[in-house]
Amino acid sequence: MTLQYSSLGWSFKLSMMKGLVLCLLVLLNNANSSFARLLLNRTKEVSMFREQLKRTILDNGVGQTPPMGWNSWNHFQCDISEALIKETADAMVSTGLADLGYQYINIDDCWAELNRDSKGYMVAKSSTFPSGMKALADYVHSKGLKLGIYSDAGNQTCSKRMPGSLGHEEQDAKTFASWGIDYLKYDNCENNDVTPKERYPRMGEALVQSGRPIFYSLCEWGAEDPSIWGKSVGNSWRTTSDIEDKWDSMISCADQNNKWASYAGPGGWNDPDMLEVGNGGMTTEEYRAHFSIWALVKAPLLIGCDIRALDDITKELLRNSEVIAVNQDKLGIQGKKVKSNDDLEVWAGPLSDNRLAVVLWNRSSSKAIVTASWSDLGLKPGTSIDARDLWEHSTQSKVSGDISAELDSHACKMYILTPN
């Protein structure tokens, strides 16, 4: 008889369960049933272990708010090195981003040698990461930041330049923990057509047993609706395919992610992919909308540009502490689209202290007025609110009935509404 992983923890194979049932029937009919009681007790212990492991996965202590930081892929792809990661960590501190909550420095694909060593361990690529990952983690930690790494729930990663972790979950999780890794992005390439519901829990359980709290990011692309089952496995789950630095791609990711709003919350977040703000493919207003919506829907705020060379506009967008506070609100409820009329949209979500975050968004090709009525927002008629404009940093007092703004094409306004 053998054991295998299930989607939530350890489970018996069907054949094993049948055997246990038969044994129990025989033993329970026997006059001397002490062994039967012992076997029943052991079965209960296994069940309790399953539930305990499940709770541990859910309560690994990380991800109580959406993660904030940086990831190498959107701007650098495979052109990464130890020097780049150190310089990025330095820039995260010097730009003031670290003080605002951006804490993860995440290395994406292409950091390892193509093959494992003779004992089956992943090895950092000697030509680009000569000091190894433990030393790099120590450096990042010395800056008050956290280091993230990348692997894949398949035989190889998506670049096919390094091995995946399929079949090596326990070994790799212990390796990452020994290096001091704080975050794992786990991709979905070269997966042998095995359902992610089998592959992803294996790494989740291995991370729990590694002895180190590691944020577990399921990069499953929304293939099998991970919002439904992801919270029992990891701390975030991709709901979309890869984002591109284009308006159409960004709004597509926002819309795909929107349908899963009810599944997110403290400890587990829907992930419409990383930020493209600052990479140059969209206008300032489009990037402002991108950042506003990602904040509202409690998406991970992972910067995807070169933060060593931020221009003033990008700094202003990424360093807006009032918008960041919406994303990091302790209530942890994902905002969503509440009104759409000819690409004139209202997105909203509740915040702590009886407040409401609202985004008015003009997705049309021309200037237009976007209005959110109190009925759109679930507010009672006659309710008086103060409306804080998070980009203008100004407040309208005692507003009642609706809130509206004339917006340029693809522009938005973002508010926090506080009842009087």
Side-chain angles (χ1 to χ4, degrees), residues 7-302:
S7 61
L8 297 179
W10 295 99
S11 68
F12 292 109
K13 283 186 175 179
L14 182 60
S15 60
M16 185 176 187
M17 291 300 293
K18 289 179 178 178
L20 280 174
V21 171
L22 288 173
C23 288
L24 286 171
L25 288 173
V26 171
L27 290 166
L28 288 171
N29 284 324
N30 192 294
N32 184 0
S33 60
S34 60
F35 184 71
R37 288 194 297 271
L38 177 61
L39 190 55
L40 281 170
N41 288 338
R42 295 299 292 171
T43 303
K44 289 179 182 178
E45 288 175 7
V46 170
S47 178
M48 289 173 63
F49 174 75
R50 283 187 63 195
E51 289 304 311
Q52 182 180 15
L53 183 57
K54 177 182 175 182
R55 288 194 299 271
T56 305
I57 293 170
L58 290 170
D59 301 326
N60 61 0
V62 298
Q64 294 306 299
T65 58
M68 296 175 60
W70 172 87
N71 180 285
S72 61
W73 185 257
N74 282 0
H75 189 86
F76 296 97
Q77 297 191 358
C78 281
D79 188 18
I80 57 175
S81 67
E82 180 179 306
L84 169 66
I85 302 306
K86 287 183 175 181
E87 290 168 5
T88 300
D90 294 343
M92 189 70 88
V93 175
S94 65
T95 57
L97 290 167
D99 291 336
L100 291 168
Y102 294 97
Q103 60 177 334
Y104 290 104
I105 304 294
N106 291 347
I107 306 167
D108 211 283
D109 203 351
C110 308
W111 61 267
E113 297 286 4
L114 176 61
N115 297 310
R116 294 173 178 270
D117 69 12
S118 60
K119 295 182 179 179
Y121 288 96
M122 277 190 181
V123 180
K125 194 171 182 180
S126 61
S127 61
T128 50
F129 293 89
S131 302
M133 287 299 164
K134 177 63 169 65
L136 186 55
D138 289 345
Y139 183 88
V140 171
H141 292 159
S142 75
K143 300 293 179 177
L145 302 171
K146 298 180 178 180
L147 185 67
I149 210 164
Y150 168 97
S151 189
D152 187 285
N155 297 322
Q156 286 186 313
T157 62
C158 296
S159 70
K160 297 185 180 181
R161 298 189 187 187
M162 57 175 278
S165 292
L166 189 63
H168 293 265
E169 292 87 359
E170 183 176 350
Q171 183 178 29
D172 289 351
K174 288 181 178 178
T175 299
F176 300 153
S178 72
W179 289 343
I181 297 300
D182 303 292
Y183 185 113
L184 174 65
K185 176 182 174 181
Y186 205 46
D187 222 333
N188 197 27
C189 291
E190 305 298 315
N191 56 46
N192 296 339
D193 294 322
V194 178
T195 174
K197 296 176 184 178
E198 291 184 15
R199 289 177 288 111
Y200 280 84
R202 298 175 189 172
M203 179 56 82
E205 291 160 357
L207 291 173
V208 167
Q209 295 175 51
S210 73
R212 182 177 180 83
I214 296 175
F215 187 101
Y216 185 28
S217 171
L218 284 58
C219 187
E220 187 261 12
W221 320 325
E224 291 192 23
D225 299 338
S227 298
I228 296 173
W229 50 269
K231 202 166 187 179
S232 63
V233 177
N235 300 110
S236 69
W237 42 88
R238 276 277 295 281
T239 54
T240 71
S241 56
D242 287 0
I243 194 172
E244 297 179 54
D245 188 20
K246 301 175 182 177
W247 166 256
D248 287 342
S249 174
M250 185 269 287
I251 63 172
S252 175
C253 287
D255 289 343
Q256 291 175 60
N257 186 71
N258 181 63
K259 66 181 288 189
W260 304 109
S262 64
Y263 291 90
W269 308 99
N270 290 316
D271 178 8
D273 207 4
M274 299 168 289
L275 294 167
E276 291 283 7
V277 177
N279 277 327
M282 288 185 262
T283 68
T284 297
E285 290 306 325
E286 290 168 347
Y287 280 141
R288 193 188 316 276
H290 179 17
F291 192 69
S292 298
I293 292 296
W294 261 236
L296 181 84
V297 304
K298 305 299 187 291
L301 297 183
L302 297 176

